[in-house]
Amino acid sequence: MTREIEVDQLTRDQAAQELARLARLLMQANTAYHQDDAPEISDAEYDRLKARNLAIEARFPDLKRDDSPSEQVGAAPAEGFGKITHTVRMMSLGNAFDAEDVAEFDRAIRKYLGLGTDAPLAYTAEPKIDGLSLSLRYEKGRLVSAATRGDGAVGENVTENARTIDDIPHSLTGAPDVLEVRGEVYMSHADFEALNARQAERGGKTFANPRNAAAGSLRQLDPEITRARPLRFFAYSWGELSEPLADTQMGAIARLSALGFSTNPLTERCDGLDDLLAHYAQIEQQRATLGYDIDGVVYKVDDLSYQGRLGFRSTTPRWAIAHKFPAELAWTRLEAIDIQVGRTGALSPVARLTPVTVGGVVVSNATLHNEDYIAGRDAKGREIRDGKDIRVGDWVQVYRAGDVIPKIADVDLSKRPDDAQPYDFPTECPECGSDAIREEGDAVRRCTGGLICPAQAVEKLKHFVSRAAFDIEGLGAKQVEQFYRDGWIKEPADIFTLEERYGTGLQQLKNREGWGEKSATNLFRAIDDKRRIPFGRLLFALGIRHVGEQASNLLARFYGSWDEFIKAMDGAKDCAGPEWERLLGIDGVGEVMARALVTAFAQEHERKSIDRLTAHLTVEEATQPDTSGSPVAGKTVVFTGTLEKMTRAEAKARAEALGAKVSGSVSAKTDLLVAGPGAGSKAKKAAELGVDTIDEDGWLALIGDA
Ligand code: IVH
């Protein structure tokens, strides 16, 4: 190590360098001490470095860094919380943006439940609180844990912090033995203003809006800090229960209120669509005077047995929706248009804006969607914004709704600079120079460079390690970019040989900037943990166009094992023949997705890369729902004709829950045809193939629900 220069001898440049070095060393020491429980330097040396840092800052106050160690206590909080696995997943909500979306929500529910358009159907409507959700678990009336939503499956353990919130009871009388209460933690406008004023006075961190303040306050490692922050809680939902709370949503909320929880006073029961929209308008009018942020109105089916029948899509309930308030708007200057290249090669134009505050958040980038959008046309060639195009230098209207990426809504032509030119969308990839082409019917121009395009390769890798995919701890977007840049990881398979190549020897991971012995070992262990991977996750991680998380899981359940799936893809590679028909027969797989899938596995380049990857993996077979004793587990079932006791969607969901595969067409692989009145060609084909055929009552008797 170079000898340290006395503080009073340092030149300005040397001081700046030294502050950077100290910030890095102290950060490493903090991480080692607080997160890894493995201090790397002695306490005395730590104190000496800290004192030296302070002395340099005192001599050159203007060189003090934003990440100055003298401002920091402990280590980054995210690592500091324990994890809690939710016994019942925490869901999010689908969105409706206008009355038509709400009407569609109502129609879909009626259809699913088999109710006529005029049949009575009650909903509840209540404000959508703009805070963060929290799940509170009570056992025998005592609060035992509190967890944030996290990724819906696993959240952070914030029990001690939750206990400091006045609205959260520590004990309940007359509650079910197991009761998980869910709701929103939020901060009122008045408390938010006061907190920011106090923080500013002390030179501490101020918050952009009440929601950030609530999140920052709840997720404190020290519960005493949370206690000093005025947080509140509204209960609106529940997780695990040892006995039902009521028969209706309204009744359940009344019960939670009787148990001592705050519930929102604007919650109301509504009869049908018109009533919902009327209550929405009423809440929107009151919005500005509520004293806390809300960003829409949540509608829920009132009858809990209907909620049970409707169930969930992958992350949202079918029985609820959030009707969002219109977006917030602001005008600003468009300074430049940049092109970003995504994982599938899509060239996405991004607007760089003169920063402007929109609804309390500073916005400096917005999406421009695609070249048609910039030119003033929609996907079908019709005019949008009255045909006005968007040019660099234009005065543009920015809007944002909730957490979504801000968009550009309008252009003010009266303020257009005289020399502004129509935007020339690139026809070559700005990252690799390959041709960027637009396929017929596609709104998006794509780079044809495939994996030779560094932008695509990196984006694919980032997707590969993302949360819903391989989710490797310690290997996020930033690390992937670094490893890619240095040539250590070029494709997913390289992740699994990283230790072999860089665990020992001259060029070791632990010697790299930002890595140490402990973090390198942790990374290698985290990678090893993912050598076993569920089929659905692996497929999703490959980032094949049109094949999202839900489709990946559907395919995994359908084919069961990876080997079966690969055989099927090989069999379907010409987009013809029985395997191709079988793939298309899967309810939820359309032709576009099927082609994308088959092509990905048939292209030599991509296939070899996938095979190199799977050579390092054990792919877990798709977990089927617990179907022990189910008479239809593993059977391929087709429904045809009219069903009278349930809708087709409900029949399908029930069959899948019992482990059956539901297909839309009859083939030699079909085990059972359920035929209602009016069944036609499918029944005929089944008869020809000798497939067992039963009617709806037969089906209900079979699954034990006659
Ligand atoms: S119900 C299974 N009701 O909105 C349904 N959510 O965008 C659970 N939220 O994650 C949610 N106010 O954090 C529900 N009155 C309300 C809500 C509400 C705010 C939040 C919640 C959820 C998010 C979805």
Side-chain angles (χ1 to χ4, degrees):
M1 196 174 87
T2 47
R3 208 175 54 84
E4 281 179 357
I5 304 170
E6 295 292 338
V7 173
D8 57 358
Q9 310 276 310
L10 287 168
T11 65
R12 215 181 136 73
D13 281 355
Q14 286 170 331
Q17 272 176 26
E18 186 62 359
L19 286 175
R21 184 183 75 99
L22 291 168
R24 183 165 45 79
L25 284 177
L26 286 162
M27 206 256 293
Q28 269 172 19
N30 267 336
T31 309
Y33 184 90
H34 290 283
Q35 286 179 7
D36 306 339
D37 291 322
E40 287 175 350
I41 58 175
S42 69
D43 288 358
E45 172 68 356
Y46 181 85
D47 290 342
R48 190 186 69 78
L49 293 176
K50 242 186 147 155
R52 180 171 166 81
N53 184 72
L54 265 181
I56 301 175
E57 285 177 351
R59 224 191 116 202
F60 299 101
D62 59 326
L63 291 183
K64 185 166 165 181
R65 299 165 57 89
D66 283 339
D67 63 350
S68 161
S70 49
E71 296 294 326
Q72 280 157 20
V73 204
E79 302 285 325
F81 290 103
K83 301 225 159 97
I84 290 188
T85 303
H86 299 298
T87 45
V88 176
R89 262 185 84 92
M90 285 184 85
M91 295 289 175
S92 62
L93 292 169
N95 290 328
F97 295 100
D98 54 29
E100 181 43 38
D101 292 349
V102 182
E104 179 51 39
F105 166 71
D106 178 59
R107 265 197 298 276
I109 288 177
R110 287 174 185 276
K111 187 160 171 227
Y112 193 100
L113 295 173
L115 295 175
T117 34
D118 296 326
L121 179 58
Y123 291 98
T124 59
E126 68 201 71
K128 181 170 189 300
I129 317 297
D130 199 6
L132 70 154
S133 47
L134 184 68
S135 184
L136 305 169
R137 186 176 173 91
Y138 292 85
E139 288 175 7
K140 297 209 167 8
R142 302 205 60 79
L143 175 63
V144 293
S145 65
T148 60
R149 195 173 93 103
D151 61 2
V154 181
E156 287 170 339
N157 183 346
V158 291
T159 312
E160 290 317 311
N161 297 357
R163 284 188 208 280
T164 69
I165 300 176
D166 287 346
D167 285 342
I168 297 180
H170 292 194
S171 61
L172 306 172
T173 337
D177 276 356
V178 175
L179 167 64
E180 281 181 6
V181 176
R182 291 178 175 176
E184 203 84 353
V185 173
Y186 68 102
M187 195 179 280
S188 75
H189 290 157
D191 288 336
F192 165 70
E193 302 293 343
L195 170 65
N196 261 359
R198 260 185 296 154
Q199 291 288 104
E201 207 169 284
R202 284 195 216 139
K205 179 180 160 61
T206 56
F207 298 96
N209 53 46
R211 187 166 66 97
N212 288 359
S217 302
L218 183 67
R219 298 176 65 261
Q220 285 287 339
L221 280 182
D222 179 357
E224 288 315 307
I225 298 182
T226 309
R227 189 187 300 283
R229 303 273 175 88
L231 293 174
R232 300 169 188 227
F233 179 77
F234 273 131
Y236 52 64
S237 174
W238 53 90
E240 191 181 346
L241 295 174
S242 54
E243 58 189 86
L245 289 171
D247 296 334
T248 60
Q249 178 75 30
M250 214 53 200
I253 296 303
R255 178 90 195 277
L256 290 177
S257 168
L259 284 168
F261 291 93
S262 285
T263 57
N264 195 289
L266 298 180
T267 310
E268 238 170 63
R269 185 175 180 280
C270 295
D271 289 310
L273 184 62
D274 292 343
D275 217 10
L276 286 178
L277 296 175
H279 197 49
Y280 172 88
Q282 212 181 17
I283 292 179
E284 190 178 25
Q285 255 189 359
Q286 283 173 270
R287 183 181 186 188
T289 56
L290 291 177
Y292 51 87
D293 277 351
I294 64 173
D295 56 348
V297 177
V298 182
Y299 306 138
K300 299 173 185 170
V301 171
D302 192 36
D303 185 326
L304 296 186
S305 68
Y306 280 166
Q307 285 192 9
R309 279 176 62 190
L310 286 157
F312 298 88
R313 297 179 210 91
S314 65
T315 57
T316 57
R318 288 195 189 87
W319 44 265
I321 200 162
H323 186 177
K324 303 298 271 294
F325 292 133
E328 314 205 51
L329 302 164
W331 287 92
T332 187
R333 183 82 59 199
L334 173 62
E335 293 181 351
I337 296 178
D338 286 350
I339 299 288
Q340 282 176 352
V341 183
R343 153 170 77 82
T344 56
L347 267 49
S348 306
V350 180
R352 304 292 179 205
L353 307 165
T354 307
V356 62
T357 307
V358 191
V361 173
V362 178
V363 170
S364 44
N365 302 311
T367 174
L368 287 167
H369 305 286
N370 54 52
E371 57 188 293
D372 286 345
Y373 190 81
I374 297 177
R377 290 187 301 266
D378 73 3
K380 297 206 170 97
R382 291 175 303 218
E383 282 190 351
I384 50 172
R385 298 184 301 270
D386 300 327
K388 288 182 271 182
D389 68 333
I390 297 175
R391 303 183 184 186
V392 172
D394 268 342
W395 192 247
V396 293
Q397 190 185 41
V398 184
Y399 78 96
R400 53 179 285 275
D403 274 341
V404 298
I405 308 167
K407 300 190 173 97
I408 297 220
D410 204 0
V411 181
D412 184 347
L413 290 185
S414 72
K415 294 202 173 137
R416 174 168 283 174
D418 293 340
D419 58 350
Q421 295 298 316
Y423 181 68
D424 215 358
F425 203 92
T427 50
E428 278 178 6
C429 172
E431 299 284 342
C432 71
S434 305
D435 286 344
I437 59 164
R438 241 181 111 166
E439 278 170 24
E440 178 133 353
D442 197 351
V444 171
R445 194 172 280 280
R446 287 173 205 278
C447 160
T448 52
L451 288 179
I452 68 146
C453 175
Q456 282 188 57
V458 164
E459 292 306 316
K460 263 191 178 269
L461 283 166
K462 283 190 199 164
H463 170 79
F464 185 86
V465 299
S466 66
R467 223 183 203 175
F470 268 67
D471 190 20
I472 297 172
E473 205 163 328
L475 190 60
K478 218 175 78 195
Q479 290 81 4
V480 160
E481 257 172 24
Q482 248 178 34
F483 284 133
Y484 183 82
R485 215 176 26 238
D486 299 349
W488 286 25
I489 295 178
K490 287 269 173 224
E491 60 167 16
D494 297 340
I495 294 171
F496 296 94
T497 58
L498 198 64
E499 182 168 13
E500 226 169 281
R501 291 178 294 133
Y502 298 107
T504 55
L506 216 55
Q507 260 200 314
Q508 288 178 42
L509 176 58
K510 68 173 191 183
N511 296 335
R512 282 181 63 131
E513 168 111 22
W515 294 87
E517 175 97 43
K518 183 92 186 172
S519 53
T521 316
N522 285 347
L523 176 64
F524 295 143
R525 292 298 78 80
I527 291 172
D528 284 344
D529 277 352
K530 297 295 157 89
R531 287 181 198 266
R532 264 192 94 83
I533 194 86
F535 179 172
R537 266 187 189 256
L538 167 61
L539 183 55
F540 173 63
L542 297 179
I544 298 167
R545 233 175 112 193
H546 306 298
V547 186
E549 196 179 352
Q550 207 171 347
S552 300
N553 288 326
L554 174 71
L555 289 159
R557 279 197 305 274
F558 189 86
Y559 289 101
S561 81
W562 182 257
D563 290 346
E564 275 303 310
F565 171 66
I566 291 291
K567 267 191 236 148
M569 290 302 107
D570 288 343
K573 72 172 186 301
D574 300 324
C575 296
E579 275 304 348
W580 171 249
E581 295 301 328
R582 185 163 162 239
L583 175 61
L584 283 181
I586 303 175
D587 204 344
V589 175
E591 176 142 3
V592 175
M593 188 201 296
R595 276 188 195 278
L597 255 178
V598 166
T599 317
F601 286 90
Q603 268 176 5
E604 199 186 331
H605 221 74
E606 191 147 349
R607 175 59 174 272
K608 281 197 170 144
S609 167
I610 295 171
D611 289 345
R612 279 194 293 275
L613 167 67
T614 50
H616 298 288
L617 304 175
T618 308
V619 186
E620 289 170 10
E621 297 203 356
T623 42
Q624 304 294 348
D626 181 12
T627 53
S628 39
S630 160
V632 294
K635 298 248 162 61
T636 300
V637 181
V638 176
F639 292 94
T640 186
T642 315
L643 300 180
E644 285 162 338
K645 301 209 166 125
M646 60 182 119
T647 62
R648 193 68 75 76
E650 188 174 359
K652 174 171 181 261
R654 292 278 298 283
E656 282 174 352
L658 289 166
K661 299 169 191 170
V662 179
S663 173
S665 60
V666 174
S667 73
K669 303 227 173 189
T670 309
D671 295 301
L672 185 62
L673 180 77
V674 182
S681 61
K682 287 184 195 168
K684 229 172 96 191
K685 187 156 182 203
E688 280 163 24
L689 292 168
V691 172
D692 285 345
T693 302
I694 55 176
D695 63 9
E696 189 179 4
D697 285 334
W699 165 254
L700 290 174
L702 177 67
I703 63 173
D705 201 357

